[in-house]
Amino acid sequence: MKHALKIGIWLLAALTVFSCQKERGAGAVGERDLFVSLDTRAADENVAQNDNLFRSLVFYFFTDDGTNSKTVFRSFTPGRDTYEEVFRLPVEATRAVVIANYEDSDLERTLSLTMNYDELTSLVATKLLDFQPDQLLMLGEAAVPQSGAMSIELVRLVARVDVHVFGTPELVTGRSVKVRSVQLAGQVLNTTMRPGDAGMPAAPVTRTRTKDELDYTVGVRPSEVTAATAPAARFYSFQYVPGTTAADDVPELTVVLDVDGMEMTRTCRIADAAHPDCKLLRNTIYRVLAEVKSSGISVSVDVLDWQTEESDIEWGDVSTATFECGPMTPPSTADGELTVVYDQIPGDARMQSFEFYITAPVGALWNASLTNSTDFAFSDINGGVQNGVVVAGGQPAYIRVMATSPYRQVQGADGSMTDPSTRLVISLQKAGSSDFEALLINPDLLYGSTDAHVYQIVQKEQ
């Protein structure tokens, strides 16, 4: 099933602890802003031990000839399965490559800000330690449009092997049968960084991995084995594609059993009808169903898709963002000004109320501010607003502006006496940016305003 990338609105700055924010890009000439929404979640029944999470990302953007036009590194704790950011890209950027969890596969010291496409895809990632489920290497590539939406296939570069062990009725009936260890020979520790079914590195690195002291009770195989059935052992491995020589280290399982105190060892290969040559492909789960007999072992393999081929990074042109703002009450005076008066009981004061409808872009922060915070204040900010920051999401947000002191005229710069006034400004902070920019909230210059980015509010005598 295709995963629609609908990410709930959250305050990116509050939830993310960045440990790395390296970035390289071109200047401001010939650029456009594009919004990224990233989701790596597989179907719930196929996720195990948080193997849908990532702790680091690097985005590479290339031109048609493979020249690097922008590189952005991101890392954060804890791991997550979604991410969103607005990127400012050169118009020449036509291809994107995204790598997740690069820090856990010996790539951190080889990836650079200026790397071109050929240099990046010729790299080989290597595991120096054991595979951690929440740090599995992921890779994706897609064409970058000049506008509109973009999606990218993000896949894990590992295979997952879930080993289930059962016994025949003759073996387990009346006996205590336990799995003591499961061993995977031929676990692959390096992989190419080329997208797609890229085959093996020129010099594959393999090892034998053993999970022991399991104390896993063996029973008769049920009529149906589902994801809810706990495996005796789980392994991760980079892709294995058999070569042409007999010396290839084919993935092989060895199961050691304890049958009423006596040790029994059985060996089998991970092969199925689709992969009789024992392939272990990227982004694939191999559910090994091993049934032990007194005389041997029989094996069947269910091949499951991790379903990230349907996970997308969606891009939306920030210029398509819509922002609606308008007074909920008519002007307080006949001359068309937005006015307020002071009242010692703010709830009974005459205030100006506004309603905001913010529908895009997702992940942006909207800040309501007053240019004169001495004589005016917000008496109420609610409905999608937290601490003065309106969070985008299409839900209405309300604010009310009031005077903070009894009416008095103030002296202007030219010495003239005028009514106190303030300007209401709504600013946008794009996801991933530290800057706010004023929005066009009053294009018709209503209520005496001479600036399309503000509403002018004046205090009048009660």
Side-chain angles (χ1 to χ4, degrees):
M1 178 180 295
K2 184 173 177 62
H3 298 290
L5 302 184
K6 304 296 183 184
I7 298 180
I9 305 306
W10 31 264
L11 296 179
L12 185 63
L15 296 183
T16 303
V17 178
F18 286 105
S19 61
C20 174
Q21 298 209 31
K22 295 186 290 182
E23 182 169 332
R24 172 198 170 271
V29 177
E31 294 184 332
R32 83 279 196 190
D33 287 344
L34 292 172
F35 174 71
V36 179
S37 175
L38 172 62
D39 185 337
T40 68
R41 290 174 292 190
D44 290 342
E45 64 269 19
N46 288 337
V47 172
Q49 295 178 280
N50 293 323
D51 57 14
N52 60 328
L53 299 183
F54 52 84
R55 297 185 184 181
S56 58
L57 290 172
V58 57
F59 297 84
Y60 281 95
F61 300 95
F62 303 104
T63 61
D64 283 338
D65 63 1
T67 300
N68 183 309
S69 61
K70 190 177 185 72
T71 303
V72 180
F73 285 81
R74 296 287 184 258
S75 61
F76 24 76
T77 301
R80 57 173 58 178
D81 57 11
T82 61
Y83 185 73
E84 55 185 20
E85 182 170 353
V86 174
F87 290 104
R88 176 155 291 180
L89 298 179
V91 294
E92 296 83 5
T94 58
R95 178 168 23 180
V97 175
V98 183
I99 303 172
N101 284 328
Y102 65 85
E103 293 178 324
D104 196 51
S105 298
D106 199 31
L107 287 173
E108 188 172 17
R109 61 184 180 86
T110 56
L111 294 174
S112 72
L113 288 168
T114 58
M115 188 169 285
N116 63 38
Y117 181 80
D118 290 339
E119 291 171 333
L120 177 65
T121 55
S122 64
L123 290 177
V124 173
T126 303
K127 285 294 300 182
L128 300 180
L129 301 173
D130 194 20
F131 290 88
Q132 299 301 315
D134 61 347
Q135 299 179 54
L136 301 178
L137 188 63
M138 306 178 196
L139 177 68
E141 180 183 33
V144 178
Q146 288 300 310
S147 62
M150 167 189 164
S151 61
I152 186 170
E153 178 182 344
L154 188 66
V155 299
R156 295 165 179 81
L157 297 193
V158 299
R160 191 177 94 201
V161 180
D162 291 350
V163 182
H164 297 264
V165 181
F166 308 104
T168 60
E170 294 77 13
L171 178 69
V172 302
T173 301
R175 294 189 177 98
S176 171
V177 182
K178 294 182 178 294
V179 177
R180 293 306 185 198
S181 68
V182 180
Q183 182 182 90
L184 172 63
Q187 182 187 47
V188 183
L189 300 182
N190 59 351
T191 187
T192 64
M193 294 305 297
R194 294 189 300 274
D197 187 0
M200 298 283 285
V205 177
T206 61
R207 72 171 176 188
T208 297
R209 177 81 170 97
T210 302
K211 298 195 175 183
D212 51 15
E213 299 181 2
L214 297 178
D215 197 29
Y216 178 89
T217 300
V218 176
V220 177
R221 177 174 172 173
S223 58
E224 181 181 8
V225 179
T226 68
T229 307
R234 173 173 288 128
F235 300 92
Y236 296 93
S237 172
F238 283 129
Q239 181 164 284
Y240 174 80
V241 179
T244 57
T245 66
D248 292 324
D249 197 355
V250 175
E252 187 175 68
L253 291 170
T254 299
V255 180
V256 178
L257 303 173
D258 182 316
V259 182
D260 284 341
M262 298 183 61
E263 184 176 291
M264 177 186 292
T265 301
R266 297 288 182 259
T267 300
C268 62
R269 287 187 172 181
I270 307 172
D272 63 276
H275 304 141
D277 50 3
C278 304
K279 284 184 179 179
L280 293 180
L281 299 182
R282 295 174 170 181
N283 203 48
T284 305
I285 300 171
Y286 295 87
R287 184 185 292 162
V288 180
L289 308 176
E291 187 174 45
V292 181
K293 310 172 184 178
S294 298
S295 58
I297 189 171
S298 62
V299 177
S300 63
V301 179
D302 294 336
V303 180
L304 308 176
D305 195 338
W306 233 325
Q307 297 197 5
T308 49
E309 85 284 356
E310 298 291 357
S311 293
D312 300 332
I313 295 178
E314 289 189 355
W315 299 60
D317 191 340
V318 173
S319 64
T320 63
T322 62
F323 181 90
E324 300 177 19
C325 171
M328 297 175 62
T329 55
S332 307
T333 61
D335 59 10
E337 288 184 307
L338 291 177
T339 66
V340 296
V341 298
Y342 174 75
D343 194 301
Q344 290 185 348
I345 305 175
D348 296 333
R350 186 183 305 159
M351 305 179 188
Q352 284 301 331
S353 298
F354 295 83
E355 181 176 18
F356 300 87
Y357 295 94
I358 303 166
T359 58
V362 174
L365 303 181
W366 307 80
N367 182 54
S369 61
L370 298 171
T371 57
N372 178 359
S373 58
T374 300
D375 300 311
F376 299 86
F378 294 116
S379 71
D380 191 17
I381 298 182
N382 56 57
V385 184
Q386 299 178 20
N387 298 325
V389 177
V390 185
V391 185
Q395 299 299 317
Y398 307 92
I399 65 172
R400 291 199 299 173
V401 179
M402 70 176 186
T404 58
S405 60
Y407 173 80
R408 73 198 186 291
Q409 286 198 316
V410 296
Q411 186 173 4
D414 59 358
S416 62
M417 302 302 292
T418 62
D419 295 331
S421 65
T422 188
R423 300 195 301 171
L424 169 65
V425 181
I426 305 296
S427 301
L428 163 68
Q429 181 189 42
K430 298 171 184 175
S433 171
S434 59
D435 299 323
F436 280 86
E437 59 183 74
L439 293 174
L440 190 70
I441 62 175
N442 191 5
D444 297 325
L445 300 179
L446 300 175
Y447 312 113
S449 174
T450 59
D451 187 339
H453 298 88
V454 305
Y455 277 107
Q456 187 83 10
I457 303 171
V458 180
Q459 183 184 13
K460 294 292 187 181
E461 188 172 12
Q462 187 169 13

